[in-house]
Amino acid sequence: MQFSTSTSSPDRLRTPCAILPVLAGKKLTAAGSALDAAGGGALARLLASGDLQAKAGATLLAHLDGAIKRVLLVSLGDAEVPADKAYCDAVRGAWRAAATLAADEVASLLHEAPVAQRDTAWKLRMQVGIGRELAYRFERMKSKREPQPVRPARVVLPVARAEATAAGTAVAQAAALANGIELTKDLGNLPGNVCTPTYLADTARKLGREFKFKVDVLDVRKMEALKMGALLSVARGSEQPPKLIVLHYQGAGPRQAPVALVGKGITFDTGGISLKPAAEMDEMKYDMCGAASVLGTLRAVAEMGLKINVVGVIAASENMPSGRATKPGDIVTSMSGQTVEILNTDAEGRLVLCDALTYVQRYKPSAIVDIATLTGACVIALGHHHSGLFTPQQALADELLAAGSDAGDPCWRMPLDDEYQEQLKSPFADMANIGGRPAGSITAACFLSRFTKGANWAHLDIAGTAWKSGANKGASGRPVPLLTRFLQARAKG
Ligand code: BES
Ligand code: MN
Ligand code: ZN
């Protein structure tokens, strides 16, 4: 689905199908009315019939005799000024209905509808984002791909001349974001036998070549030299070599401190010797979605050319049982020098992240955000709507919360008080890698906090939001929208 803006006025518009918003009281917008007047008022008569339901997203197709042969009327609901949800429902309804038409191109004026506290740029971004979301398919592993063309193939978004530049940027940035989201989804959806640590490293290298930024991949020998004993302990049971992938996107001057994104990249999590039950274990191919969100965000940011420096670090490994695998009770020394008693080999995410978090601090980042499918407990706490946000820093929390709600990719701040640290006590090492059943997502964050002392750090637990289970199983691409919005705001400020 390709989106472009146009500055031709509504009465000059030539399109196989115009998509018009309908507001409370069956009212058309200014452009809609102008278009209807040029066509003799047929739309007003059709609306008066009451055949268009008032529910946001309801549609009614009109066939006309004028220059424009089809008009798709789309209801925005019965609120005087529609809110975010009504607008997004309307966009979704419009794209679904348009997909059933024999028209390759449509012109949408949905952004002419007012939306509470939202500007034209936001309304355009939502049309692009929702369109690309609906058009996404993952068919790379099917031997026979069903060649179904995406409809509509092209969407024209008419805007006023005065808004043309800003609108063009908004649409281009939304497309860049969609490209990043799709990369994240593809990586998540690929099976564990294809998407290995080496595959993630190759994907990062390819991104670096395409967008001209530096990518370093550290292998086992380098990790040993750096004394990354925690990360290496997770990889021990696997035939696949682990990789520490470092991406350097330089959109600003070399003196500007980078923002660091650190992703958990467990390409398959069996649990290790603390083996997981068989049911739904296939979903642990998604345990690299934090890593995939780092790659997707960097792709979006690089395509946008944001004036900001970002360093991405991905700790990539499998977590497998074997005769060489780490055993419960084993004690390892992390890169920071702190020792960890591994009481459960299934709490591996924090082990690979702690060394990546120690490592990334050499770049003196202005902020560090780690992203991880870290705990089942976070799914129990927050379900599938909000990602978990953990940070001791109020300002960083505010930035991430705002970015999430603005991008429609929300997170919810969880507590991180020192009281919870006690659950990580070990009689033999500096800490244990688990803190018992109560507050499992918080004690996991507490563990990470011990490796980010003095840094401006936040942790996003995306265990409940990175993918969907069941009939519509698939990666969501979250939290790429949140992270990209966060970096866009930082690039401006
Ligand atoms: N990758 C899992 C977390 C997970 C589980 C995410 C299910 C999404 C769905 C993580 O490595 C893990 O196994 N965590 C354990 C920690 C426990 C052993 C303290 C968990 O949540 O059960
Ligand atoms: Mn695990
Ligand atoms: Zn895991």
Side-chain angles (χ1 to χ4, degrees):
M1 223 170 168
Q2 285 229 322
F3 292 82
S4 59
T5 55
S6 145
T7 50
S8 53
S9 63
D11 47 328
R12 293 259 181 81
L13 201 61
R14 293 292 169 272
T15 176
C17 178
I19 300 183
L20 301 181
V22 178
L23 302 169
K26 301 173 186 155
K27 279 205 301 282
L28 289 166
T29 55
S33 303
L35 220 146
D36 194 27
L43 295 177
R45 287 194 293 279
L46 185 60
L47 286 171
S49 75
D51 284 349
L52 178 68
Q53 290 169 26
K55 196 171 157 17
T59 60
L60 185 62
L61 183 68
H63 286 274
L64 305 178
D65 281 333
I68 298 178
K69 301 288 183 227
R70 297 189 196 84
V71 172
L72 184 67
L73 298 166
V74 184
S75 176
L76 273 108
D78 46 19
E80 226 24 78
V81 181
D84 288 6
K85 186 176 179 303
Y87 180 76
C88 292
D89 286 348
V91 171
R92 212 167 286 119
W95 294 161
R96 286 221 169 94
T100 68
L101 304 178
D104 279 330
E105 184 177 310
V106 300
S108 165
L109 283 153
L110 290 175
H111 46 283
E112 236 208 339
V115 178
Q117 284 159 49
R118 298 298 189 184
D119 59 8
T120 306
W122 184 89
K123 289 183 273 185
L124 293 172
R125 287 204 305 271
M126 289 302 131
Q127 292 190 70
V128 177
I130 293 168
R132 293 282 299 267
E133 164 104 55
L134 290 173
Y136 176 80
R137 301 278 180 281
F138 181 75
E139 291 172 339
R140 273 166 67 180
M141 304 306 292
K142 302 261 195 200
S143 64
K144 292 187 196 68
R145 299 182 195 189
E146 287 128 61
Q148 282 191 352
V150 174
R151 273 212 170 121
R154 292 178 304 283
V155 178
V156 177
L157 302 161
V159 293
R161 221 164 264 286
E163 288 186 311
T165 312
T169 307
V171 168
Q173 294 203 333
L177 173 60
N179 290 337
I181 291 171
E182 284 175 13
L183 172 63
T184 299
K185 287 183 179 176
D186 283 349
L187 289 169
N189 288 331
L190 279 172
N193 61 330
V194 174
C195 186
T196 58
T198 303
Y199 187 93
L200 287 179
D202 290 344
T203 304
R205 285 201 192 93
K206 216 166 97 195
L207 261 191
R209 274 198 302 277
E210 187 176 351
F211 292 99
K212 314 231 171 338
F213 57 78
K214 195 164 76 119
V215 175
D216 295 321
V217 177
L218 281 61
D219 60 10
V220 171
R221 281 193 20 231
K222 294 222 181 77
M223 288 187 253
E224 279 168 357
L226 288 162
K227 300 192 181 339
M228 295 184 157
L231 198 167
L232 288 165
S233 77
V234 174
R236 281 188 63 82
S238 171
E239 300 290 325
Q240 292 290 338
K243 304 284 174 191
L244 189 82
I245 306 162
V246 190
L247 308 94
H248 302 272
Y249 171 76
Q250 294 270 337
R255 260 190 271 285
Q256 191 179 106
V259 174
L261 301 179
V262 177
K264 169 178 173 181
I266 299 296
T267 58
F268 197 82
D269 181 12
T270 65
I273 297 297
S274 312
L275 193 64
K276 286 182 181 294
E280 279 127 50
M281 204 209 273
D282 66 288
E283 296 192 5
M284 283 299 113
K285 72 173 182 179
Y286 290 116
D287 212 17
M288 34 55 71
C289 282
S293 77
V294 173
L295 293 171
T297 301
L298 274 154
R299 196 199 186 290
V301 163
E303 189 179 334
M304 290 177 192
L306 289 191
K307 293 187 171 45
I308 190 171
N309 295 334
V310 184
V311 54
V313 174
I314 289 167
S317 173
E318 279 186 340
N319 185 23
M320 298 286 284
S322 95
R324 286 162 42 89
T326 296
K327 306 169 292 298
D330 285 2
I331 295 178
V332 299
T333 304
S334 66
M335 183 181 173
S336 72
Q338 299 177 91
T339 58
V340 182
E341 183 183 16
I342 300 176
L343 291 175
N344 190 321
T345 63
D346 198 11
E348 85 298 339
R350 60 199 79 182
L351 295 172
V352 299
L353 283 174
C354 72
D355 281 344
L357 286 167
T358 300
Y359 179 81
V360 79
Q361 291 176 55
R362 66 178 52 200
Y363 299 109
K364 307 255 177 304
S366 58
I368 307 174
V369 181
D370 79 65
I371 310 102
T373 48
L374 203 63
T375 64
C378 192
V379 190
I380 303 302
L382 292 176
H384 303 288
H385 301 298
H386 288 86
S387 302
L389 168 65
F390 305 77
T391 175
Q393 270 85 30
Q394 184 64 45
L396 188 55
D398 291 341
E399 276 182 81
L400 290 162
L401 288 165
S405 77
D406 207 37
D409 182 10
C411 59
W412 194 267
R413 191 172 180 190
M414 299 278 283
L416 195 60
D417 310 52
D418 276 342
E419 279 80 352
Y420 293 100
Q421 295 279 357
E422 307 215 343
Q423 288 174 237
L424 292 173
K425 271 194 182 147
S426 158
F428 305 116
D430 296 344
M431 69 194 88
N433 77 327
I434 54 171
R437 297 238 317 149
S441 69
I442 303 173
T443 53
C446 283
F447 182 94
L448 299 177
S449 76
R450 295 175 178 223
F451 300 84
T452 54
K453 288 232 164 72
N456 187 29
W457 160 78
H459 157 61
L460 287 169
D461 193 333
I462 58 167
T465 52
W467 77 91
K468 283 191 169 66
S469 309
N472 296 320
K473 191 184 285 183
S476 67
R478 293 178 66 182
V480 175
L482 180 162
L483 294 169
T484 305
R485 203 84 205 124
F486 166 69
L487 294 171
Q488 281 180 298
R490 281 204 157 218
K492 274 193 208 116

